PDB file of all heavy atoms in Angstrom:
ATOM      1  N   PRO A 971      -5.721 -13.469 -24.306  1.00 35.00           N
ATOM      2  CA  PRO A 971      -7.031 -12.992 -24.737  1.00 35.00           C
ATOM      3  C   PRO A 971      -7.264 -11.572 -24.271  1.00 35.00           C
ATOM      4  O   PRO A 971      -6.947 -11.216 -23.150  1.00 35.00           O
ATOM      5  CB  PRO A 971      -7.994 -13.987 -24.043  1.00 35.00           C
ATOM      6  CG  PRO A 971      -7.178 -15.222 -23.845  1.00 35.00           C
ATOM      7  CD  PRO A 971      -5.787 -14.735 -23.574  1.00 35.00           C
ATOM      8  N   ALA A 972      -7.867 -10.742 -25.145  1.00 37.00           N
ATOM      9  CA  ALA A 972      -8.114  -9.345 -24.806  1.00 37.00           C
ATOM     10  C   ALA A 972      -9.089  -9.251 -23.657  1.00 37.00           C
ATOM     11  O   ALA A 972     -10.086  -9.956 -23.611  1.00 37.00           O
ATOM     12  CB  ALA A 972      -8.669  -8.603 -26.022  1.00 37.00           C
ATOM     13  N   SER A 973      -8.806  -8.344 -22.727  1.00 39.00           N
ATOM     14  CA  SER A 973      -9.604  -8.254 -21.517  1.00 39.00           C
ATOM     15  C   SER A 973     -10.800  -7.342 -21.673  1.00 39.00           C
ATOM     16  O   SER A 973     -11.699  -7.365 -20.852  1.00 39.00           O
ATOM     17  CB  SER A 973      -8.732  -7.724 -20.369  1.00 39.00           C
ATOM     18  OG  SER A 973      -8.340  -6.402 -20.650  1.00 39.00           O
ATOM     19  N   GLY A 974     -10.785  -6.469 -22.691  1.00 41.00           N
ATOM     20  CA  GLY A 974     -11.878  -5.531 -22.836  1.00 41.00           C
ATOM     21  C   GLY A 974     -11.898  -4.496 -21.736  1.00 41.00           C
ATOM     22  O   GLY A 974     -12.903  -3.869 -21.483  1.00 41.00           O
ATOM     23  N   GLY A 975     -10.775  -4.321 -21.043  1.00 41.00           N
ATOM     24  CA  GLY A 975     -10.643  -3.261 -20.073  1.00 41.00           C
ATOM     25  C   GLY A 975     -11.216  -3.585 -18.703  1.00 41.00           C
ATOM     26  O   GLY A 975     -11.395  -2.699 -17.886  1.00 41.00           O
ATOM     27  N   ALA A 976     -11.483  -4.839 -18.410  1.00 38.00           N
ATOM     28  CA  ALA A 976     -12.063  -5.169 -17.118  1.00 38.00           C
ATOM     29  C   ALA A 976     -11.134  -6.066 -16.334  1.00 38.00           C
ATOM     30  O   ALA A 976     -11.205  -7.280 -16.401  1.00 38.00           O
ATOM     31  CB  ALA A 976     -13.418  -5.866 -17.311  1.00 38.00           C
ATOM     32  N   PRO A 977     -10.193  -5.519 -15.557  1.00 39.00           N
ATOM     33  CA  PRO A 977      -9.295  -6.327 -14.763  1.00 39.00           C
ATOM     34  C   PRO A 977     -10.049  -7.093 -13.702  1.00 39.00           C
ATOM     35  O   PRO A 977     -11.135  -6.703 -13.283  1.00 39.00           O
ATOM     36  CB  PRO A 977      -8.331  -5.294 -14.146  1.00 39.00           C
ATOM     37  CG  PRO A 977      -9.075  -4.013 -14.180  1.00 39.00           C
ATOM     38  CD  PRO A 977      -9.978  -4.092 -15.377  1.00 39.00           C
ATOM     39  N   ALA A 978      -9.441  -8.169 -13.240  1.00 36.00           N
ATOM     40  CA  ALA A 978     -10.140  -9.068 -12.342  1.00 36.00           C
ATOM     41  C   ALA A 978     -10.449  -8.442 -10.995  1.00 36.00           C
ATOM     42  O   ALA A 978     -11.530  -8.628 -10.446  1.00 36.00           O
ATOM     43  CB  ALA A 978      -9.303 -10.345 -12.142  1.00 36.00           C
ATOM     44  N   SER A 979      -9.510  -7.706 -10.414  1.00 36.00           N
ATOM     45  CA  SER A 979      -9.776  -7.178  -9.083  1.00 36.00           C
ATOM     46  C   SER A 979      -8.827  -6.061  -8.718  1.00 36.00           C
ATOM     47  O   SER A 979      -7.680  -6.041  -9.139  1.00 36.00           O
ATOM     48  CB  SER A 979      -9.643  -8.300  -8.039  1.00 36.00           C
ATOM     49  OG  SER A 979      -8.325  -8.820  -8.025  1.00 36.00           O
ATOM     50  N   GLY A 980      -9.347  -5.100  -7.915  1.00 42.00           N
ATOM     51  CA  GLY A 980      -8.532  -4.110  -7.241  1.00 42.00           C
ATOM     52  C   GLY A 980      -7.581  -3.325  -8.100  1.00 42.00           C
ATOM     53  O   GLY A 980      -7.585  -3.364  -9.315  1.00 42.00           O
ATOM     54  N   SER A 981      -6.721  -2.562  -7.428  1.00 45.00           N
ATOM     55  CA  SER A 981      -5.744  -1.754  -8.137  1.00 45.00           C
ATOM     56  C   SER A 981      -4.413  -2.462  -8.282  1.00 45.00           C
ATOM     57  O   SER A 981      -3.524  -2.015  -8.987  1.00 45.00           O
ATOM     58  CB  SER A 981      -5.543  -0.423  -7.405  1.00 45.00           C
ATOM     59  OG  SER A 981      -5.098  -0.641  -6.085  1.00 45.00           O
ATOM     60  N   GLY A 982      -4.240  -3.604  -7.596  1.00 48.00           N
ATOM     61  CA  GLY A 982      -3.026  -4.396  -7.755  1.00 48.00           C
ATOM     62  C   GLY A 982      -1.791  -3.692  -7.228  1.00 48.00           C
ATOM     63  O   GLY A 982      -1.844  -2.609  -6.663  1.00 48.00           O
ATOM     64  N   SER A 983      -0.640  -4.324  -7.400  1.00 54.00           N
ATOM     65  CA  SER A 983       0.605  -3.765  -6.889  1.00 54.00           C
ATOM     66  C   SER A 983       1.705  -3.713  -7.937  1.00 54.00           C
ATOM     67  O   SER A 983       2.765  -3.168  -7.684  1.00 54.00           O
ATOM     68  CB  SER A 983       1.086  -4.596  -5.685  1.00 54.00           C
ATOM     69  OG  SER A 983       1.292  -5.952  -6.072  1.00 54.00           O
ATOM     70  N   ALA A 984       1.471  -4.302  -9.117  1.00 73.00           N
ATOM     71  CA  ALA A 984       2.501  -4.308 -10.151  1.00 73.00           C
ATOM     72  C   ALA A 984       2.782  -2.891 -10.619  1.00 73.00           C
ATOM     73  O   ALA A 984       1.880  -2.063 -10.726  1.00 73.00           O
ATOM     74  CB  ALA A 984       2.053  -5.176 -11.329  1.00 73.00           C
ATOM     75  N   LYS A 985       4.057  -2.609 -10.904  1.00 89.00           N
ATOM     76  CA  LYS A 985       4.433  -1.280 -11.365  1.00 89.00           C
ATOM     77  C   LYS A 985       4.001  -1.076 -12.809  1.00 89.00           C
ATOM     78  O   LYS A 985       3.998  -1.989 -13.615  1.00 89.00           O
ATOM     79  CB  LYS A 985       5.945  -1.100 -11.231  1.00 89.00           C
ATOM     80  CG  LYS A 985       6.431  -1.038  -9.794  1.00 89.00           C
ATOM     81  CD  LYS A 985       7.931  -0.772  -9.748  1.00 89.00           C
ATOM     82  CE  LYS A 985       8.421  -0.648  -8.305  1.00 89.00           C
ATOM     83  NZ  LYS A 985       9.883  -0.373  -8.239  1.00 89.00           N
ATOM     84  N   LEU A 986       3.659   0.152 -13.120  1.00 97.00           N
ATOM     85  CA  LEU A 986       3.287   0.493 -14.484  1.00 97.00           C
ATOM     86  C   LEU A 986       4.544   0.651 -15.329  1.00 97.00           C
ATOM     87  O   LEU A 986       5.613   0.989 -14.816  1.00 97.00           O
ATOM     88  CB  LEU A 986       2.494   1.796 -14.495  1.00 97.00           C
ATOM     89  CG  LEU A 986       1.139   1.758 -13.790  1.00 97.00           C
ATOM     90  CD1 LEU A 986       0.552   3.156 -13.728  1.00 97.00           C
ATOM     91  CD2 LEU A 986       0.191   0.813 -14.500  1.00 97.00           C
ATOM     92  N   PRO A 987       4.439   0.420 -16.637  1.00 97.00           N
ATOM     93  CA  PRO A 987       5.595   0.586 -17.525  1.00 97.00           C
ATOM     94  C   PRO A 987       6.112   2.019 -17.509  1.00 97.00           C
ATOM     95  O   PRO A 987       5.349   2.968 -17.324  1.00 97.00           O
ATOM     96  CB  PRO A 987       5.036   0.225 -18.912  1.00 97.00           C
ATOM     97  CG  PRO A 987       3.796  -0.567 -18.643  1.00 97.00           C
ATOM     98  CD  PRO A 987       3.234  -0.047 -17.359  1.00 97.00           C
ATOM     99  N   ILE A 988       7.417   2.154 -17.704  1.00 97.00           N
ATOM    100  CA  ILE A 988       8.016   3.471 -17.865  1.00 97.00           C
ATOM    101  C   ILE A 988       7.766   3.936 -19.298  1.00 97.00           C
ATOM    102  O   ILE A 988       7.911   3.173 -20.246  1.00 97.00           O
ATOM    103  CB  ILE A 988       9.531   3.427 -17.585  1.00 97.00           C
ATOM    104  CG1 ILE A 988       9.783   2.974 -16.140  1.00 97.00           C
ATOM    105  CG2 ILE A 988      10.167   4.792 -17.831  1.00 97.00           C
ATOM    106  CD1 ILE A 988       9.193   3.884 -15.094  1.00 97.00           C
ATOM    107  N   GLY A 989       7.400   5.180 -19.452  1.00 97.00           N
ATOM    108  CA  GLY A 989       7.043   5.700 -20.759  1.00 97.00           C
ATOM    109  C   GLY A 989       8.144   5.575 -21.797  1.00 97.00           C
ATOM    110  O   GLY A 989       9.314   5.802 -21.508  1.00 97.00           O
ATOM    111  N   ASP A 990       7.735   5.202 -23.004  1.00 97.00           N
ATOM    112  CA  ASP A 990       8.656   5.064 -24.123  1.00 97.00           C
ATOM    113  C   ASP A 990       7.907   5.472 -25.393  1.00 97.00           C
ATOM    114  O   ASP A 990       7.020   4.765 -25.854  1.00 97.00           O
ATOM    115  CB  ASP A 990       9.157   3.625 -24.233  1.00 97.00           C
ATOM    116  CG  ASP A 990      10.106   3.410 -25.410  1.00 97.00           C
ATOM    117  OD1 ASP A 990      10.418   4.395 -26.114  1.00 97.00           O
ATOM    118  OD2 ASP A 990      10.532   2.259 -25.620  1.00 97.00           O
ATOM    119  N   GLY A 991       8.257   6.620 -25.949  1.00 95.00           N
ATOM    120  CA  GLY A 991       7.580   7.105 -27.141  1.00 95.00           C
ATOM    121  C   GLY A 991       7.746   6.208 -28.351  1.00 95.00           C
ATOM    122  O   GLY A 991       7.005   6.344 -29.325  1.00 95.00           O
ATOM    123  N   LYS A 992       8.696   5.269 -28.289  1.00 96.00           N
ATOM    124  CA  LYS A 992       8.930   4.364 -29.404  1.00 96.00           C
ATOM    125  C   LYS A 992       8.238   3.013 -29.223  1.00 96.00           C
ATOM    126  O   LYS A 992       8.424   2.103 -30.038  1.00 96.00           O
ATOM    127  CB  LYS A 992      10.429   4.155 -29.595  1.00 96.00           C
ATOM    128  CG  LYS A 992      11.176   5.430 -29.973  1.00 96.00           C
ATOM    129  CD  LYS A 992      12.661   5.159 -30.173  1.00 96.00           C
ATOM    130  CE  LYS A 992      13.391   6.446 -30.565  1.00 96.00           C
ATOM    131  NZ  LYS A 992      14.854   6.217 -30.743  1.00 96.00           N
ATOM    132  N   ALA A 993       7.458   2.872 -28.163  1.00 97.00           N
ATOM    133  CA  ALA A 993       6.715   1.625 -27.960  1.00 97.00           C
ATOM    134  C   ALA A 993       5.767   1.406 -29.142  1.00 97.00           C
ATOM    135  O   ALA A 993       5.204   2.367 -29.675  1.00 97.00           O
ATOM    136  CB  ALA A 993       5.927   1.682 -26.659  1.00 97.00           C
ATOM    137  N   PRO A 994       5.569   0.168 -29.568  1.00 97.00           N
ATOM    138  CA  PRO A 994       4.735  -0.090 -30.753  1.00 97.00           C
ATOM    139  C   PRO A 994       3.253   0.137 -30.490  1.00 97.00           C
ATOM    140  O   PRO A 994       2.754  -0.099 -29.388  1.00 97.00           O
ATOM    141  CB  PRO A 994       5.011  -1.567 -31.060  1.00 97.00           C
ATOM    142  CG  PRO A 994       5.409  -2.154 -29.736  1.00 97.00           C
ATOM    143  CD  PRO A 994       6.169  -1.069 -29.031  1.00 97.00           C
ATOM    144  N   MET A 995       2.570   0.603 -31.506  1.00 97.00           N
ATOM    145  CA  MET A 995       1.117   0.745 -31.465  1.00 97.00           C
ATOM    146  C   MET A 995       0.494  -0.637 -31.663  1.00 97.00           C
ATOM    147  O   MET A 995       0.989  -1.426 -32.471  1.00 97.00           O
ATOM    148  CB  MET A 995       0.650   1.680 -32.580  1.00 97.00           C
ATOM    149  CG  MET A 995      -0.835   1.997 -32.584  1.00 97.00           C
ATOM    150  SD  MET A 995      -1.360   3.083 -31.251  1.00 97.00           S
ATOM    151  CE  MET A 995      -0.546   4.637 -31.716  1.00 97.00           C
ATOM    152  N   PRO A 996      -0.554  -0.994 -30.909  1.00 96.00           N
ATOM    153  CA  PRO A 996      -1.208  -2.288 -31.127  1.00 96.00           C
ATOM    154  C   PRO A 996      -1.684  -2.436 -32.577  1.00 96.00           C
ATOM    155  O   PRO A 996      -2.074  -1.458 -33.214  1.00 96.00           O
ATOM    156  CB  PRO A 996      -2.392  -2.248 -30.157  1.00 96.00           C
ATOM    157  CG  PRO A 996      -1.982  -1.280 -29.104  1.00 96.00           C
ATOM    158  CD  PRO A 996      -1.165  -0.245 -29.804  1.00 96.00           C
ATOM    159  N   SER A 997      -1.649  -3.631 -33.093  1.00 97.00           N
ATOM    160  CA  SER A 997      -2.058  -3.885 -34.466  1.00 97.00           C
ATOM    161  C   SER A 997      -3.540  -3.602 -34.658  1.00 97.00           C
ATOM    162  O   SER A 997      -4.339  -3.682 -33.704  1.00 97.00           O
ATOM    163  CB  SER A 997      -1.771  -5.348 -34.838  1.00 97.00           C
ATOM    164  OG  SER A 997      -0.391  -5.622 -34.715  1.00 97.00           O
ATOM    165  N   PRO A 998      -3.951  -3.253 -35.868  1.00 97.00           N
ATOM    166  CA  PRO A 998      -5.370  -2.969 -36.134  1.00 97.00           C
ATOM    167  C   PRO A 998      -6.282  -4.123 -35.719  1.00 97.00           C
ATOM    168  O   PRO A 998      -5.986  -5.291 -35.965  1.00 97.00           O
ATOM    169  CB  PRO A 998      -5.399  -2.771 -37.654  1.00 97.00           C
ATOM    170  CG  PRO A 998      -4.033  -2.274 -37.989  1.00 97.00           C
ATOM    171  CD  PRO A 998      -3.108  -3.028 -37.066  1.00 97.00           C
ATOM    172  N   GLY A 999      -7.372  -3.784 -35.072  1.00 97.00           N
ATOM    173  CA  GLY A 999      -8.378  -4.772 -34.706  1.00 97.00           C
ATOM    174  C   GLY A 999      -8.030  -5.661 -33.536  1.00 97.00           C
ATOM    175  O   GLY A 999      -8.774  -6.604 -33.247  1.00 97.00           O
ATOM    176  N   THR A1000      -6.933  -5.393 -32.833  1.00 97.00           N
ATOM    177  CA  THR A1000      -6.526  -6.282 -31.736  1.00 97.00           C
ATOM    178  C   THR A1000      -7.034  -5.824 -30.375  1.00 97.00           C
ATOM    179  O   THR A1000      -6.863  -6.542 -29.391  1.00 97.00           O
ATOM    180  CB  THR A1000      -4.993  -6.409 -31.673  1.00 97.00           C
ATOM    181  OG1 THR A1000      -4.417  -5.104 -31.517  1.00 97.00           O
ATOM    182  CG2 THR A1000      -4.450  -7.066 -32.925  1.00 97.00           C
ATOM    183  N   CYS A1001      -7.642  -4.649 -30.293  1.00 97.00           N
ATOM    184  CA  CYS A1001      -8.064  -4.105 -29.000  1.00 97.00           C
ATOM    185  C   CYS A1001      -9.587  -4.010 -28.916  1.00 97.00           C
ATOM    186  O   CYS A1001     -10.265  -3.820 -29.925  1.00 97.00           O
ATOM    187  CB  CYS A1001      -7.451  -2.726 -28.782  1.00 97.00           C
ATOM    188  SG  CYS A1001      -5.661  -2.648 -29.051  1.00 97.00           S
ATOM    189  N   LYS A1002     -10.096  -4.112 -27.712  1.00 96.00           N
ATOM    190  CA  LYS A1002     -11.542  -4.108 -27.500  1.00 96.00           C
ATOM    191  C   LYS A1002     -11.893  -3.147 -26.376  1.00 96.00           C
ATOM    192  O   LYS A1002     -11.321  -3.206 -25.293  1.00 96.00           O
ATOM    193  CB  LYS A1002     -12.021  -5.520 -27.147  1.00 96.00           C
ATOM    194  CG  LYS A1002     -13.517  -5.637 -26.934  1.00 96.00           C
ATOM    195  CD  LYS A1002     -13.882  -7.066 -26.581  1.00 96.00           C
ATOM    196  CE  LYS A1002     -15.383  -7.213 -26.320  1.00 96.00           C
ATOM    197  NZ  LYS A1002     -15.726  -8.612 -25.919  1.00 96.00           N
ATOM    198  N   VAL A1003     -12.846  -2.272 -26.631  1.00 95.00           N
ATOM    199  CA  VAL A1003     -13.313  -1.340 -25.605  1.00 95.00           C
ATOM    200  C   VAL A1003     -14.166  -2.098 -24.593  1.00 95.00           C
ATOM    201  O   VAL A1003     -15.084  -2.828 -24.955  1.00 95.00           O
ATOM    202  CB  VAL A1003     -14.144  -0.192 -26.218  1.00 95.00           C
ATOM    203  CG1 VAL A1003     -14.687   0.722 -25.114  1.00 95.00           C
ATOM    204  CG2 VAL A1003     -13.296   0.608 -27.196  1.00 95.00           C
ATOM    205  N   GLY A1004     -13.841  -1.944 -23.311  1.00 95.00           N
ATOM    206  CA  GLY A1004     -14.633  -2.553 -22.255  1.00 95.00           C
ATOM    207  C   GLY A1004     -15.597  -1.538 -21.662  1.00 95.00           C
ATOM    208  O   GLY A1004     -15.692  -0.405 -22.129  1.00 95.00           O
ATOM    209  N   LYS A1005     -16.296  -1.928 -20.615  1.00 94.00           N
ATOM    210  CA  LYS A1005     -17.265  -1.018 -20.006  1.00 94.00           C
ATOM    211  C   LYS A1005     -17.458  -1.384 -18.544  1.00 94.00           C
ATOM    212  O   LYS A1005     -17.431  -2.559 -18.157  1.00 94.00           O
ATOM    213  CB  LYS A1005     -18.600  -1.090 -20.739  1.00 94.00           C
ATOM    214  CG  LYS A1005     -19.640  -0.073 -20.244  1.00 94.00           C
ATOM    215  CD  LYS A1005     -20.869  -0.060 -21.143  1.00 94.00           C
ATOM    216  CE  LYS A1005     -20.561   0.603 -22.474  1.00 94.00           C
ATOM    217  NZ  LYS A1005     -21.788   0.820 -23.290  1.00 94.00           N
ATOM    218  N   ARG A1006     -17.596  -0.354 -17.723  1.00 93.00           N
ATOM    219  CA  ARG A1006     -17.911  -0.528 -16.305  1.00 93.00           C
ATOM    220  C   ARG A1006     -18.780   0.645 -15.876  1.00 93.00           C
ATOM    221  O   ARG A1006     -18.434   1.793 -16.114  1.00 93.00           O
ATOM    222  CB  ARG A1006     -16.622  -0.577 -15.484  1.00 93.00           C
ATOM    223  CG  ARG A1006     -16.790  -0.576 -13.952  1.00 93.00           C
ATOM    224  CD  ARG A1006     -17.376  -1.896 -13.441  1.00 93.00           C
ATOM    225  NE  ARG A1006     -17.555  -1.864 -11.997  1.00 93.00           N
ATOM    226  CZ  ARG A1006     -16.762  -2.493 -11.121  1.00 93.00           C
ATOM    227  NH1 ARG A1006     -15.715  -3.186 -11.552  1.00 93.00           N
ATOM    228  NH2 ARG A1006     -16.996  -2.435  -9.833  1.00 93.00           N
ATOM    229  N   ASP A1007     -19.905   0.349 -15.246  1.00 91.00           N
ATOM    230  CA  ASP A1007     -20.829   1.389 -14.796  1.00 91.00           C
ATOM    231  C   ASP A1007     -21.213   2.334 -15.934  1.00 91.00           C
ATOM    232  O   ASP A1007     -21.367   3.540 -15.735  1.00 91.00           O
ATOM    233  CB  ASP A1007     -20.221   2.188 -13.645  1.00 91.00           C
ATOM    234  CG  ASP A1007     -19.939   1.325 -12.419  1.00 91.00           C
ATOM    235  OD1 ASP A1007     -20.599   0.283 -12.269  1.00 91.00           O
ATOM    236  OD2 ASP A1007     -19.054   1.697 -11.618  1.00 91.00           O
ATOM    237  N   GLY A1008     -21.359   1.786 -17.125  1.00 91.00           N
ATOM    238  CA  GLY A1008     -21.767   2.576 -18.271  1.00 91.00           C
ATOM    239  C   GLY A1008     -20.675   3.429 -18.882  1.00 91.00           C
ATOM    240  O   GLY A1008     -20.936   4.194 -19.814  1.00 91.00           O
TER     241      GLY A1008
END
């Protein structure tokens, strides 16, 4: 389920993905803008 940009807690420890210009773009309508502190 889409998170809307609000992770559960903290900055975590998992590594971020290594950049890949060929990574796929998310399909239309599959992403949701979240909000924190306006």
Side-chain angles (χ1 to χ4, degrees):
S973 65
S979 62
S981 59
S983 59
K985 292 183 178 181
L986 295 173
I988 299 299
D990 179 3
K992 297 181 179 179
M995 184 72 68
S997 300
T1000 57
C1001 310
K1002 181 180 178 182
V1003 177
K1005 185 172 287 189
R1006 172 70 181 255
D1007 298 335

